[in-house]
Amino acid sequence: MLDQKRIDSWIQETEFEGSRSNYPKNFPDLPDLPGKRYSDPLFFDAEVEGLWKKNWLYAGHLDQLPEQGSFFIWDKTGSEIIILRNDSGNIVAFYNTCRHRGSAIVRKRSGTLGKTFACGYHGWTYDRDGKLKAFPDVRDFSNFDRSCRNLVQVRCEIYGNWIFVNENNNAEPLADFLNPISRFFDHLPLKSLRLIHQHTQSVPCNYKVLIENFLEVYHFRLLHPSTTDRIFSQKKTAVHLWERGHSMMLSPHRRKGWVDPGTIGLPEMSTTTRIEREFLPSYTVFPNFVLPIQATGVGAVLVWPVDIANSLMDVVWFAPSWGDGPRPKIWSERINNFDKILEEDTSFAMPMQKSISTPGFKGVALNYQERRIYHWHEELDRSIGKSNVPEGMSVEPLMSQFIER
C-alpha cells in the first residue's frame, strides 16, 4: 500500500537518482533487443495470440453503460465483443457472433439492447445474459439443445469503474493480475471518477515503438523542451518494477510548490498524497494501460496494434465529479494541452517506422533509465511463451532481482 513509509522511500529514491553520477554497480549491462521483434511477421503473430488474447485489457468505463441493456462493441484485439449491462445490473461480455451461422448480431457500435435481441440474418434471439431464447422453424432442427447455443462469453471483470476483458478463460482473476501495482493507487477514489473525454487516433508505427515512448523520460529534453521537460525532472526520475510486467516512473516537479495552471479550480481527489500532488507517478498496467495520475484526474493512454506497422492510440480522461451541469470549460484547455504533448510524442512515429524497416536497424540499445522497456519485453516473452518466440528474437531474463515484491 502507499503508506507514509513507502512515500518517504519513493521520494528518497528520486533524490538519490538526482545525485547519482555513475552507472549502478549492481545493475547488469542490458543486451540489445533484437530488431526483428519490431518487423518480423511471425513475431507479430505470436504477439497477437500470446499477448493480446491472453491478458487483462482495459475495455471501457462504467459511465458508458448507464442502464440495463446499455452496450458497446469493443474490438481492439480483432474480435468483436459485446460489452453489456444485463438485467441484474452486472457487466457481461460476449463475442458478437450468432451461434447459428456466425453472423454479427449487433451492427451498431453502442446503444441499448432490448430484453431480447435478434440476429438480423435468421432471427435467432438472445437475452441480455447471452442465452438463446428463440429461433424460427424449430421443427426443422433435430435433437437441438438450445442451452448449447448461447452466445460465447468473454471474461469480464471490474476494477474501480474500469471494465477489463480477457479472452483467456484460464487467466487468473483480474484482482490478482493487478495486485502488484494497484495497491499503490487503491487509496484513490477510483469508483467515483467520471469518464470525461476519450478519443482515438491512428499512429503509423509498430505498437511497441509507441508504448516504449511512455516507459521512459530519456526523450524529454529533445522531444518536449517546452512542455514536460520544463515541468518534470528527468534526472531525478525513479523507476519501480513489479511482477507481471507492471511498472511506474516517478518524476518530481522541477520547482517546489509548482501547480499546473491548467488544473486551478478543478476538484481534486480527496485521498491524494504527496506522490500525486508534488510528483508525476506514471504507472503502466501491462501491457498497454498508461496511467499518469495527478490530484485532479488521470489522462490515460492506451496503444493497440492494427498491423505490424500501424497502431491506434486511445486517450481517455478520468476525473472527480464537479457536480451537476456540463463539464467545466477549463477541462477543454487541459485536454488540449495534453494532446499537444502527445503530438510531440507521436511526431517521431512515421520516420522511425520507416527507419526500423531497413537493414540498418539491428536492435534496440537500452540504458539504465530505459530499464522499464526491458522489463516490459521480458513479460512479453513470458506471455507469448518461450517455445513460441521465433528463434533469435527472445530477450534474456535479467530483471527478476530488481522487481519489488
Side-chain angles (χ1 to χ4, degrees):
M1 61 182 293
L2 192 55
D3 55 18
Q4 191 58 50
K5 182 179 179 180
R6 179 82 60 172
I7 291 170
D8 292 343
S9 172
W10 281 7
I11 293 173
Q12 288 172 8
E13 288 182 49
T14 64
E15 293 301 322
F16 171 77
E17 283 300 318
S19 65
R20 182 174 57 83
S21 58
N22 297 304
Y23 193 88
K25 292 181 179 179
N26 67 332
F27 197 81
D29 294 337
L30 295 176
D32 287 7
L33 301 175
K36 287 188 176 181
R37 292 171 73 90
Y38 300 81
S39 59
D40 187 88
L42 291 178
F43 190 85
F44 182 76
D45 290 345
E47 290 176 310
V48 170
E49 294 302 318
L51 177 68
W52 299 105
K53 301 283 190 178
K54 292 185 178 180
N55 279 287
W56 286 104
L57 305 171
Y58 172 84
H61 188 280
L62 291 181
D63 283 357
Q64 295 172 259
L65 303 173
E67 59 185 7
Q68 293 177 9
S70 295
F71 81 94
F72 60 87
I73 298 293
W74 186 84
D75 58 3
K76 290 302 197 317
T77 64
S79 305
E80 278 204 357
I81 295 171
I82 305 168
I83 300 178
L84 167 71
R85 188 180 290 274
N86 68 10
D87 292 341
S88 300
N90 297 320
I91 309 303
V92 292
F94 310 97
Y95 288 109
N96 187 23
T97 305
C98 182
R99 296 301 306 281
H100 175 214
R101 284 169 54 189
S103 177
I105 304 165
V106 178
R107 302 296 180 88
K108 294 182 179 179
R109 298 295 299 177
S110 62
T112 304
L113 295 175
K115 285 187 173 293
T116 60
F117 51 96
C119 175
Y121 194 13
H122 295 97
W124 282 38
T125 301
Y126 304 86
D127 67 14
R128 292 171 177 168
D129 285 315
K131 294 180 179 177
L132 178 63
K133 303 301 290 185
F135 52 94
D137 300 329
V138 175
R139 66 179 186 173
D140 290 326
F141 290 86
S142 174
N143 297 318
F144 188 87
D145 182 356
R146 71 176 62 192
S147 68
C148 296
R149 300 290 178 170
N150 298 329
L151 296 181
V152 176
Q153 195 158 6
V154 178
R155 294 277 299 279
C156 180
E157 296 181 21
I158 308 298
Y159 173 75
N161 270 349
W162 298 337
I163 303 167
F164 286 78
V165 297
N166 193 327
E167 294 185 67
N168 178 12
N169 288 328
N170 298 316
E172 63 186 332
L174 175 64
D176 293 346
F177 172 75
L178 292 177
N179 178 59
I181 189 171
S182 63
R183 56 195 164 128
F184 301 117
F185 44 77
D186 266 342
H187 63 286
L188 299 173
L190 299 179
K191 289 184 178 180
S192 63
L193 294 187
R194 297 171 64 171
L195 173 64
I196 67 165
H197 173 82
Q198 61 180 351
H199 71 266
T200 301
Q201 67 182 79
S202 299
V203 185
C205 68
N206 182 277
Y207 81 92
K208 292 185 292 298
V209 168
L210 196 52
I211 284 180
E212 291 168 6
N213 174 78
F214 298 112
L215 292 174
E216 47 89 2
V217 294
Y218 189 46
H219 67 277
F220 273 20
R221 279 175 291 191
L222 292 180
L223 218 55
H224 306 299
S226 301
T227 53
T228 52
D229 192 54
R230 292 176 57 245
I231 301 168
F232 304 108
S233 172
Q234 171 209 343
K235 187 177 181 181
K236 289 186 175 183
T237 294
V239 164
H240 299 272
L241 309 177
W242 296 297
E243 292 179 305
R244 300 177 178 85
H246 308 311
S247 65
M248 185 266 277
M249 56 191 180
L250 185 65
S251 301
H253 295 167
R254 285 191 180 275
R255 301 197 311 273
K256 190 173 182 179
W258 177 85
V259 176
D260 185 347
T263 66
I264 296 174
L266 292 176
E268 295 187 356
M269 293 181 278
S270 59
T271 53
T272 54
T273 70
R274 283 187 67 191
I275 295 299
E276 295 88 21
R277 293 191 300 269
E278 300 177 20
F279 298 77
L280 180 64
S282 182
Y283 298 89
T284 296
V285 175
F286 186 84
N288 69 332
F289 196 16
V290 181
L291 295 166
I293 299 178
Q294 295 178 288
T296 52
V298 183
V301 176
L302 298 107
V303 181
W304 308 96
V306 174
D307 55 39
I308 199 168
N310 291 280
S311 307
L312 292 178
M313 183 174 71
D314 290 339
V315 182
V316 190
W317 278 92
F318 312 106
S321 177
W322 53 84
D324 297 331
R327 188 182 74 191
K329 292 182 179 180
I330 192 173
W331 267 111
S332 296
E333 180 179 350
R334 186 178 182 195
I335 292 168
N336 185 57
N337 288 338
F338 188 56
D339 286 347
K340 290 179 181 177
I341 296 171
L342 294 177
E343 186 176 343
E344 294 171 346
D345 280 317
T346 57
S347 63
F348 72 93
M350 182 181 290
M352 188 167 176
Q353 181 60 39
K354 290 181 178 180
S355 178
I356 66 174
S357 302
T358 72
F361 179 63
K362 303 299 184 183
V364 174
L366 297 174
N367 66 34
Y368 181 67
Q369 285 188 46
E370 299 168 305
R371 62 196 182 277
R372 292 179 78 202
I373 297 175
Y374 199 92
H375 174 59
W376 187 95
H377 276 267
E378 282 192 13
E379 188 64 25
L380 171 59
D381 280 11
R382 281 189 285 270
S383 290
I384 292 174
K386 184 178 179 180
S387 62
N388 297 321
V389 177
E391 185 176 357
M393 298 182 211
S394 62
V395 297
E396 179 184 355
L398 295 171
M399 293 292 103
S400 178
Q401 63 178 307
F402 305 102
I403 292 175
E404 301 171 26
R405 295 176 172 87

